[in-house]
Amino acid sequence: MISNAPIERRLYALMADDRSAARAGDGSSAQKMADALSLWRSGDRNASTREQFCAGLKETLERLVRDNDVDLRKAILQHRFPKVKDYRLLVASPKCEAALQAAKKLRNLAHPARIEREPDPARKTHLEALAAAVDDARAGTGELASVTAGACALGEKIAADFAPHADVLAEKQELEREASVIEYLAQRATHQSRSGGGARGRDVEDRVGTALTQLCNAMNEATASSEDPGYRIVRGANVPPALRPAESRHVKGELDFLLMHGNDVVLVGETKAGGATAIGADCLKLRNAVVEMAARAQQDRAYAFTLGGDKRSVDVGGKGKLQVSGESLKRLAAAPGDAPDVQPTWPASARYFLPDAVAGIPLSQRAVAYLTWRPASLDYAQALFDGAQPAVEGLESVWRELGEDPKLAWIWEERALAEQALNAVHGSESIAGFTAAFAQMKPGS
């Protein structure tokens, strides 16, 4: 491998110097709350910071109420009625899942085809009674006692297998007869067509991929040596299991772009069709993916990344696999400025490439949801649903909770990471600027 460090240093310098012109954010309520958190973290502890947060939260709740948001409705019901909370905890528990599977097993035992084939008239009658009892219990019109009786009529073993689950199902059925739980279950999300979402995502990836390929071409033209293997973009690379933890819920398993130089990875790139709004939650996964790869890679090994089904991702001669040197993977977690003694929070090699430049990264949808489900937020929303005009000061307790409740500390951590990620976001105009800079480095230019 012929090292081409000057080209790569130039690329990183261009990215480090790329800063969007200072301008106001998108003005969304999520951005207002995010900006308030950032101001507070920077030491601006004025009352206006708290007021900005509360104003953003107020706008969020007003929009959700105006849209008759189902998740907010459900959260309010759980907040107001303990039985709804009991029901949600029960149905989410492993014991309820096991009980539902046991009921399903009983119903399969009394499947119409089995009943039709049953030669014993008495057993056939018992199977028919069991099927009716299970169906009635599922519909809420029958008692679990009838299901238990039906299981007993078919044999001791069948009854014994079902017995441990009967109480759980009876508790679930009893809760489902509560007026508050009935109202909770009646909430249904309005059907929204999602057609075209995948196509939009692919279109964004294609546009960004084309721009990055042009950048690689300019970098190659600026390379003096004809023996250099050249730079290229590889799309849809799946991280091998050896380079990610077993529990990878918060670690990306597939990377949109890898900028490669021979078998060395130079940087990891992602794009988001949702723009800045999608980065708030995604940045943790991208950061973790890069840090985990760097920490787990062995310097003297090569790692095979499988590539997506998209033909554009197939590496030349690789038959759907990409060999990446462990040495280059270990360099991915280097801090900006290549300071080896600094534990990086945001790796310099992790970059977002978007069609458009962004001015800020709003709070993630998950963070916004948690804040709108706080008790004071739900009381405020209920008042809005009732047609009242509650005072915004009622939301100040949410701001206090955010600063005091350890369970909400992750929102501050996510915000801190998003602030760093903002400096690693480049729009198409920036990519074009990088390309032009390398074009000027072309020998003879």
Side-chain angles (χ1 to χ4, degrees):
M1 172 63 64
I2 297 177
S3 174
N4 209 349
I7 294 291
E8 293 167 21
R9 281 199 299 269
R10 177 60 174 156
L11 174 61
Y12 273 87
L14 289 168
M15 292 190 298
D17 291 339
D18 182 44
R19 293 290 184 272
S20 298
R23 66 182 193 272
D26 61 9
S28 69
S29 56
Q31 187 67 61
K32 288 180 181 178
M33 288 190 285
D35 291 343
L37 266 64
S38 296
L39 286 170
W40 193 262
R41 288 185 67 256
S42 67
D44 188 344
R45 306 298 171 87
N46 295 325
S48 59
T49 302
R50 179 188 68 247
E51 292 167 359
Q52 178 176 328
F53 172 85
C54 291
L57 181 55
K58 171 180 177 289
E59 291 177 12
T60 299
L61 291 168
E62 288 175 342
R63 174 180 54 79
L64 293 173
V65 169
R66 188 169 56 249
D67 294 343
N68 198 24
D69 185 79
V70 170
D71 290 330
L72 181 61
R73 286 277 196 184
K74 287 185 172 182
I76 290 173
L77 289 169
Q78 179 175 331
H79 171 57
R80 295 177 63 197
F81 301 107
K83 292 294 185 181
V84 174
K85 184 176 182 179
D86 292 344
Y87 179 76
R88 290 193 65 178
L89 290 174
L90 178 65
V91 297
S93 66
K95 65 179 182 179
C96 186
E97 175 63 25
L100 291 173
Q101 289 298 322
K104 182 179 179 181
K105 185 177 180 180
L106 276 183
R107 187 62 182 84
N108 289 339
L109 184 65
H111 191 276
R114 286 175 175 264
I115 296 175
E116 183 67 26
R117 295 194 303 268
E118 177 56 52
D120 184 348
R123 184 175 176 81
K124 187 172 185 176
T125 299
H126 291 322
L127 287 172
E128 290 173 341
L130 177 62
V134 173
D135 289 344
D136 288 345
R138 280 179 172 178
T141 58
E143 300 295 335
L144 260 298
S146 299
V147 177
T148 301
C152 290
L154 289 172
E156 292 184 3
K157 185 177 186 311
I158 294 174
D161 289 343
F162 181 70
H165 307 290
D167 289 344
V168 177
L169 293 174
E171 181 183 358
K172 176 176 178 289
Q173 188 181 67
E174 182 179 355
L175 285 170
E176 287 173 344
R177 291 171 177 168
E178 292 285 336
S180 58
V181 177
I182 291 172
E183 184 180 357
Y184 172 81
L185 294 174
Q187 302 295 323
R188 294 288 184 270
T190 303
H191 176 71
Q192 295 180 345
S193 175
R194 297 180 180 270
S195 61
R200 286 192 298 273
R202 288 190 294 272
D203 177 64
V204 168
E205 287 187 16
D206 288 344
R207 289 162 59 191
V208 172
T210 297
L212 291 175
T213 298
Q214 292 171 350
L215 172 60
C216 287
N217 293 339
M219 293 168 67
N220 290 331
E221 291 177 355
T223 303
S225 173
S226 60
E227 299 178 3
D228 192 280
Y231 294 92
R232 69 194 188 283
I233 289 294
V234 176
R235 296 177 57 168
N238 297 301
V239 181
L243 297 177
R244 63 178 189 262
E247 173 51 57
S248 56
R249 188 162 57 96
H250 296 300
V251 182
K252 276 190 173 294
E254 181 180 1
L255 304 169
D256 289 343
F257 305 106
L258 293 179
L259 195 158
M260 300 294 299
H261 180 238
N263 288 340
D264 290 344
V265 58
V266 175
L267 63 80
V268 177
E270 284 286 312
T271 191
K272 306 301 294 183
T277 301
I279 293 177
D282 186 80
C283 61
L284 175 65
K285 296 179 180 180
L286 177 57
R287 189 277 304 265
N288 286 351
V290 171
V291 171
E292 289 288 345
M293 287 192 295
R296 294 167 181 270
Q298 298 180 28
Q299 190 161 338
D300 57 351
R301 277 193 57 186
Y303 294 86
F305 285 61
T306 58
L307 302 178
D310 193 327
K311 294 181 179 179
R312 296 163 297 187
S313 297
V314 178
D315 193 47
V316 177
K319 296 181 179 179
K321 289 189 177 182
L322 173 72
Q323 295 294 324
V324 181
S325 71
E327 181 180 3
S328 68
L329 287 166
K330 293 198 74 66
R331 291 197 299 263
L332 287 179
D338 293 327
D341 57 338
V342 176
Q343 178 64 32
T345 301
W346 184 265
S349 61
R351 298 282 162 172
Y352 282 100
F353 297 103
L354 306 179
D356 302 304
V358 300
I361 298 176
L363 283 185
S364 68
Q365 292 181 346
R366 176 172 175 246
V368 171
Y370 267 75
L371 293 171
T372 55
W373 295 342
R374 306 310 295 170
S377 295
L378 297 174
D379 289 339
Y380 191 94
Q382 181 62 54
L384 291 175
F385 276 123
D386 291 341
Q389 293 296 323
V392 70
E393 288 76 15
L395 297 174
E396 291 182 358
S397 64
V398 181
W399 175 255
R400 290 194 296 272
E401 284 184 80
L402 188 55
E404 298 170 0
D405 190 344
K407 293 180 180 180
L408 299 180
W410 65 270
I411 296 179
W412 292 98
E413 295 167 3
E414 184 180 86
R415 173 71 343 220
L417 193 60
E419 290 170 8
Q420 297 178 59
L422 180 61
N423 294 325
V425 180
H426 310 285
S428 294
E429 290 186 3
S430 295
I431 304 173
F434 304 157
T435 303
F438 279 108
Q440 294 176 358
M441 295 174 59
K442 180 180 177 180
S445 298

